[in-house]
Amino acid sequence: MTEATDLAQRLDRVESRFALHDLVSDYCHGFDKRDWDRFSAIWWPDAVWDIGPPFGKFEASEGIAHVTKDILWPAWLASSHFTTNLVITFNGIDRATGVCDVDCIGTTSDGQAQTVSASYFDTFERRDGVWKIVHRKVKMYHFNPLPGVTLSAPA
């Protein structure tokens, strides 16, 4: 391996890490701001989003659109996702896995403040030079109401 080849591979790995971090962040921004274009752009058309109980597993663009637009967004008046501790492992040039923790706070459609804590287990693929999520498994640790709490903008 030449020094130039080694440098090119290392640079590709750095750029790929930034791209994968952006996917995780775009998930949060897209979902919370109800920005469908941003949210849908993170998934490959054949992706699987396995949210687990109580929601289920959703496949391909149609399934992800259905759960997002018809189930989750109507269920939440507002949400704020915060991801942290993203660990990325490359499994070749065009495939990687990632795990991160997420905390979400929001208000459900009935006005109830909720808190959610989970981990996201992702499989990323690069196709034609573009990284996207091909599989996301959600492991929830809690999904609980915050009785007596009202989330509202400052006065």
Side-chain angles (χ1 to χ4, degrees):
M1 179 179 303
T2 68
E3 189 174 320
T5 302
D6 181 53
L7 180 60
Q9 288 175 344
R10 288 175 32 223
L11 180 58
D12 177 66
R13 188 58 50 98
V14 170
E15 289 177 339
S16 293
R17 281 189 184 281
F18 278 111
L20 300 178
H21 275 267
D22 286 348
L23 290 173
V24 172
S25 295
D26 283 343
Y27 171 94
C28 299
H29 285 290
F31 189 91
D32 294 338
K33 293 168 179 64
R34 308 301 196 258
D35 181 343
W36 176 248
D37 291 337
R38 187 175 198 172
F39 187 77
S40 64
I42 70 169
W43 307 96
W44 283 116
D46 58 339
V48 174
W49 188 14
D50 186 357
I51 305 171
F55 300 104
K57 181 176 175 180
F58 301 88
E59 298 183 8
S61 299
E62 298 79 18
I64 292 171
H66 166 65
V67 70
T68 305
K69 293 178 176 182
D70 300 331
I71 298 172
L72 296 174
W73 280 351
W76 289 92
L77 292 176
S79 60
S80 296
H81 287 77
F82 304 96
T83 54
T84 188
N85 303 326
L86 177 59
V87 176
I88 297 167
T89 303
F90 287 93
N91 306 309
I93 296 171
D94 296 323
R95 195 164 172 90
T97 57
V99 60
C100 67
D101 297 318
V102 60
D103 288 307
C104 178
I105 190 165
T107 304
T108 52
S109 59
D110 61 359
Q112 176 63 61
Q114 295 277 351
T115 181
V116 182
S117 179
S119 291
Y120 296 150
F121 297 87
D122 295 321
T123 302
F124 305 101
E125 284 186 4
R126 178 166 49 184
R127 301 176 187 173
D128 296 321
V130 177
W131 284 101
K132 293 188 182 189
I133 298 172
V134 72
H135 188 271
R136 171 166 275 187
K137 169 71 176 152
V138 179
K139 180 179 180 182
M140 285 197 207
Y141 303 112
H142 75 254
F143 189 122
N144 297 100
L146 299 169
V149 173
T150 300
L151 301 175
S152 60

